[in-house]
Amino acid sequence: MDAPEDSSHYFTDFTLAEIVDMETLFKELGDQSLLKDFCQTVASSFSCSVNRKGKSSITWKQVQGWFQGRLEKQNQPKPKTLPSSPLLILDLSNLGSARDAETPENVTSGQRQKGKASDVSDLAFEAKSARDDAWYDVASFMTYRYLRTGELEVRVRFSGFDNQHDEWVNVKTSVRERSIPVEPSECGRVKVGDLLLCFQDREDEALYCDAHVVNIKRGSHDHRSCNCVFFVRYEFDDTEEQLGLESICRRPEE
C-alpha cells in the first residue's frame, strides 16, 4: 500500500466529525472557506463543542490550514493512469469514534424518534446505506480515507446496528446533517418541490428514503396536530405515496 501523502498533517488536530463538517463546508464554499472571519467562526464553533471537552482548542489558523490543504489537494493535476492501489487510507481506528453515542440494542431500521431541532445534537449526521439506498442516523465515524480522485470516504457505524453493518460511504454524496422531524406548527414550511426524508413503511421493510413533494393537501391543524396530506415521489424508484406529517422529516436550513 502506498504511504499517505503529506497532506495527512492537516488532520491530526481535528476529530473525525470536525473533518466531515469541514469537508461539507469546503464543498459548498470552495476557496471562500479560507477567509479569516469564516475560519474564526468555524474554530470557535469547534472549540465550544461538547465533543471537544478535554481536548485543546482549535485556532482559526489550524482551520485555515486544513482548508488550504484541501484546496491544494483539489487543484493537484489528476494522474493519467491510476496506480495499482486506488486508495490512500488514513486509519484512525485506534482513536475510537469521533462522536460518542449510545447504540440501543433493540432498535429497528424503521424507528426514528420525533423531536425538535434542538433534540438532535447527539446524532448530528445521517448517512445513506448502499445496501438499500435508505438513510440512517450515524452513531459514530470510525475512520476515513481519501480516494485517488480526491474524494473523501468515511466508515460509519449506524445508530442501532453493530459493526457487522458498518459501511464505507462517500462524504459528498452519502453523508449530511441529520434531517429534522416536522412539527405541526411548521407544516407551512413544506412546499411543493422540497426534498424530504420520508418514512416508507412496507410489508417487508420500513425505511427512511429521499422523496420530493409533488402536491400538498392542506388540512386543519393546530400546534399539537396536523391533518395535512403530503404527496411525495421517491427518488430511488419514482413511486408516489401519500404521507402524514408524522412520516416526513425536512432538511435543515441551508
Side-chain angles (χ1 to χ4, degrees), residues 37-38 151 166 173 176 182 194 237 251:
D37 288 348
F38 177 75
E151 294 183 291
D166 290 356
T173 61
R176 66 190 185 191
V182 183
D194 284 357
D237 63 1
R251 297 296 304 131

Side-chain angles (χ1 to χ4, degrees), residues 23 70 73-74 78 145-152:
E23 185 72 25
R70 188 66 183 85
K73 176 182 284 290
Q74 176 179 272
K78 298 292 188 298
R145 64 189 182 185
Y146 271 103
L147 304 182
R148 288 281 183 184
T149 59
E151 294 183 291
L152 176 66

Side-chain angles (χ1 to χ4, degrees), residues 6-245:
D6 292 339
S7 59
S8 61
H9 73 273
Y10 291 113
F11 313 120
T12 55
D13 295 315
F14 298 102
T15 68
L16 203 30
E18 289 167 350
I19 290 173
V20 172
D21 277 339
M22 290 190 293
E23 185 72 25
T24 300
L25 291 170
F26 180 80
K27 178 181 66 176
E28 296 174 353
L29 301 175
D31 58 6
Q32 294 297 308
S33 61
L34 297 174
L35 296 176
K36 180 179 178 179
D37 288 348
F38 177 75
C39 292
Q40 288 175 328
T41 300
V42 174
S44 176
S45 175
F46 286 169
S47 297
C48 294
S49 171
V50 295
N51 299 297
R52 186 155 280 279
K53 185 177 181 180
K55 301 182 178 69
S56 59
S57 298
I58 291 296
T59 68
W60 73 268
K61 288 187 177 181
Q62 288 173 302
V63 173
Q64 189 181 64
W66 189 95
F67 284 126
Q68 181 65 50
R70 188 66 183 85
L71 183 62
E72 292 173 359
K73 176 182 284 290
Q74 176 179 272
N75 293 336
Q76 287 177 352
K78 298 292 188 298
K80 294 182 179 180
T81 58
L82 291 176
S84 57
S85 176
L87 302 176
L88 287 176
I89 301 179
L90 302 174
D91 195 345
L92 302 184
S93 303
N94 295 330
L95 298 181
S97 63
R99 291 193 174 184
D100 295 327
E102 292 184 1
T103 303
E105 296 180 357
N106 299 312
V107 178
T108 67
S109 61
Q111 293 176 321
R112 167 171 272 185
Q113 293 181 343
K114 292 281 286 182
K116 299 179 181 178
S118 58
D119 298 330
V120 300
S121 57
D122 289 336
L123 287 171
F125 295 99
E126 59 193 19
K128 184 166 68 172
S129 171
R131 295 187 177 98
D132 52 22
D133 284 328
W135 293 84
Y136 298 88
D137 293 331
V138 174
S140 57
F141 298 105
M142 310 306 295
T143 186
Y144 68 96
R145 64 189 182 185
Y146 271 103
L147 304 182
R148 288 281 183 184
T149 59
E151 294 183 291
L152 176 66
E153 290 188 337
V154 289
R155 190 163 183 82
V156 299
R157 179 153 302 163
F158 297 111
S159 181
F161 296 88
D162 59 24
N163 59 3
Q164 300 291 322
H165 296 86
D166 290 356
E167 286 188 46
W168 285 104
V169 297
N170 185 291
V171 169
K172 183 177 181 180
T173 61
S174 301
V175 178
R176 66 190 185 191
E177 188 177 350
R178 190 189 183 204
S179 300
I180 303 170
V182 183
E183 297 297 314
S185 60
E186 299 176 323
C187 78
R189 300 172 67 174
V190 180
K191 309 293 184 183
V192 172
D194 284 357
L195 174 66
L196 299 177
L197 183 64
C198 301
F199 181 49
Q200 189 181 54
D201 193 3
R202 296 289 185 264
E203 291 184 4
D204 55 339
E205 60 184 357
L207 304 171
Y208 277 92
C209 301
D210 279 345
H212 285 88
V213 181
V214 295
N215 198 6
I216 302 173
K217 182 180 179 181
R218 299 293 182 183
S220 61
H221 61 81
D222 53 31
H223 67 283
R224 291 171 299 181
S225 63
C226 170
N227 295 316
C228 296
V229 178
F230 301 88
F231 298 80
V232 302
R233 180 181 295 122
Y234 290 100
E235 282 193 344
F236 72 96
D237 63 1
D238 283 333
T239 60
E240 296 187 6
E241 188 173 15
Q242 301 177 30
L243 299 175
L245 189 74

